[in-house]
Amino acid sequence: LADLRYTKFKISGLPGDKHAIFVPDHLAMTAPTFKSIASFVQKELPSMLLCGISSLCHPSKMTTPQLRKCQDFVNLMQDARASLGKQGGSMLEVQKLVEVVNNVMEKKLVSAVGSIARTAFRMNVWTFSGPQIS
């Protein structure tokens, strides 16, 4: 485990210390490796492991034209148009509409991730992002 790198930090608005362990790609994430990591950070093995799929896309830029046109976005798009007081389709109006929708999506995503993080903290759930677990 000499190749592991560790840091502890806090995230504003979320309870407790957070621990980040940077595992090199060549190290297989096996049960013994997890036990060693838990011992190192003086934590019990997790009750669950959440694996995330992420993107480098900032949450405020997550909607796409296809997503904004889908049936599940109809109400959000109507609300955004009403909040802008616009029904037209000029380029500037479309840009403002996209900005409103992206801001709403960002807030919804932040709220959802915050709820998951708070629940994970209470339930001793670890999150994992990186290469596949062996």
Side-chain angles (χ1 to χ4, degrees), residues 11-15 118:
I11 299 175
S12 177
L14 297 178
R118 283 187 292 280

Side-chain angles (χ1 to χ4, degrees), residues 4 24 37-38 61-62 76 93 98 119 126:
L4 298 180
I37 290 171
K61 305 286 186 218
M62 291 194 72
L76 175 59
E93 289 172 346
V98 168
T119 302
W126 292 11

Side-chain angles (χ1 to χ4, degrees), residues 44-50 119-120 122-126:
E44 293 179 29
L45 283 172
S47 60
M48 182 186 301
L49 185 66
L50 294 178
T119 302
R122 288 192 302 270
M123 302 301 295
N124 187 31
V125 173
W126 292 11

Side-chain angles (χ1 to χ4, degrees), residues 94-121:
V94 170
Q95 286 176 330
K96 286 182 180 182
L97 180 64
V98 168
E99 186 177 316
V100 168
V101 170
N102 281 336
N103 286 337
V104 170
M105 283 298 296
E106 179 180 10
K107 288 178 177 144
K108 287 179 180 279
L109 183 62
V110 167
S111 175
V113 170
S115 294
I116 292 168
R118 283 187 292 280
T119 302
F121 174 76

Side-chain angles (χ1 to χ4, degrees), residues 55-73:
S55 163
L56 296 177
C57 181
H58 190 274
S60 69
K61 305 286 186 218
M62 291 194 72
T63 67
T64 62
Q66 296 84 2
L67 187 60
R68 291 188 296 271
K69 289 178 184 175
C70 81
Q71 185 63 35
D72 292 328
F73 267 66

